[in-house]
Amino acid sequence: MQQKLETHDLTDQQLDESYWLVTHWTKIQREVTIAIGVLAAIFFIFTITRVVFLYALQADSSEKFVNDLKISLAATQSFPQPELGLGSVIAIPSGASRFDAIVDATNSSDDWRASAQVIFTVNGVDQPTDEVLLFPGDTVPAVLVGGVGGTAQKVTARVGDTDWRRLTASEIALLKERKNISIKDVSFSTHPETGISTSRFTVVNASITSLWEVGLRVILLSAGRSVGVNRATIEKLDTGQERTVEIRWFASLPPVDDIRVVPQVDFLDPRAVRETPSPIQRL
């Protein structure tokens, strides 16, 4: 008996397509494999090309960095760090085997900032150091209060560790805006009975920034000669604010006719600047 092939009601076209797929399946697999291999080769070539390009770019950047570093070093050598100048040491007796001392440190450069230690010495023995901050053109007194170990005539001073930093043009411009602290209403009086003297002066912050702290070097002068030295500190001095400072002096002093007050503030240090609310924010 003849057996009939089940076609599940397929059309002639569907049968032809199925036959073609069966007879060409091996060829299709081979062509797909070739296509995948070609794509993999293209991706590999692209990856290698990109790696080579990035390496060349990095090498060029490194060479540029080295060249810039050489130029920077050459510029530094062309503009060597200046030296800090020290004046004559003035020693002021303040008791038995005790003394105060003062020496002016000067930064004569045009665009260098110096933070330096000044070391006072008596008979070869170092006293506590004083740190001074000098912007271009500054003269700042380094002071020693309560020195011990010898007579006032044997005190010397030398510059210790110094941190020099060359300022940029923008920093110099900013310094001109911020460095504006003035002293006014200077007076000095001595109580006729106790002999205790009092110096008074007013510190004015006319700069554009409020400050957390203002250090002061205070020197009493008699006929141009230093006869007393001390330090003081003002905290939270806002822009436009005035603050009166009063210092008492218990040692016997000659007639004082002037007071030299030198502020010490790192105007370029963000930590020294105190952010204050504007008038609109206060409302």
Side-chain angles (χ1 to χ4, degrees), residues 53-214:
F53 173 76
L54 292 177
Y55 177 79
L57 184 64
Q58 183 178 5
D60 182 68
S61 299
S62 300
E63 183 178 359
K64 184 178 182 300
F65 173 78
V66 172
N67 291 335
D68 291 343
L69 183 60
K70 289 180 180 179
I71 293 173
S72 177
L73 291 174
T76 303
Q77 293 174 354
S78 301
F79 299 96
Q81 295 177 356
E83 293 184 358
L84 201 65
L86 286 184
S88 300
V89 179
I90 300 173
I92 306 168
S94 59
S97 298
R98 298 183 67 86
F99 60 92
D100 300 334
I102 174 177
V103 61
D104 278 344
T106 301
N107 176 10
S108 58
S109 70
D110 296 326
D111 53 4
W112 287 84
R113 168 194 175 279
S115 177
Q117 290 184 341
V118 177
I119 304 170
F120 292 90
T121 303
V122 178
N123 297 329
V125 178
D126 290 344
Q127 303 292 313
T129 61
D130 189 20
E131 294 187 3
V132 291
L133 175 67
L134 299 102
F135 289 105
D138 277 355
T139 295
V140 174
V143 300
L144 172 65
V145 179
V148 295
T151 61
Q153 289 74 19
K154 297 181 180 179
V155 183
T156 60
R158 70 182 187 275
V159 177
D161 294 338
T162 305
D163 178 25
W164 287 98
R165 185 169 72 83
R166 195 175 185 193
L167 303 181
T168 64
S170 59
E171 287 177 319
I172 293 176
L174 182 61
L175 184 62
K176 291 180 180 179
E177 295 180 349
R178 291 184 173 182
K179 189 183 177 185
N180 193 2
I181 294 180
S182 59
I183 310 296
K184 69 175 186 178
D185 300 335
V186 177
S187 65
F188 184 86
S189 61
T190 302
H191 195 281
E193 296 181 1
T194 63
I196 298 175
S197 301
T198 303
S199 59
R200 293 184 184 86
F201 53 87
T202 300
V203 181
V204 182
N205 182 8
S207 69
I208 63 173
T209 55
S210 298
L211 302 168
W212 279 110
E213 185 177 280
V214 178

Side-chain angles (χ1 to χ4, degrees), residues 15 19 28 33 46 70 75 108 159 176 191 202 274 276:
L15 289 173
Y19 177 77
I28 292 173
T33 303
F46 171 79
K70 289 180 180 179
S108 58
V159 177
K176 291 180 180 179
H191 195 281
T202 300
R274 181 169 174 260
T276 55

Side-chain angles (χ1 to χ4, degrees), residues 184-185 202-205 234 237-244:
K184 69 175 186 178
D185 300 335
T202 300
V203 181
V204 182
N205 182 8
I234 297 177
L237 187 63
D238 293 341
T239 178
Q241 188 177 16
E242 299 182 0
R243 190 80 59 83
T244 299

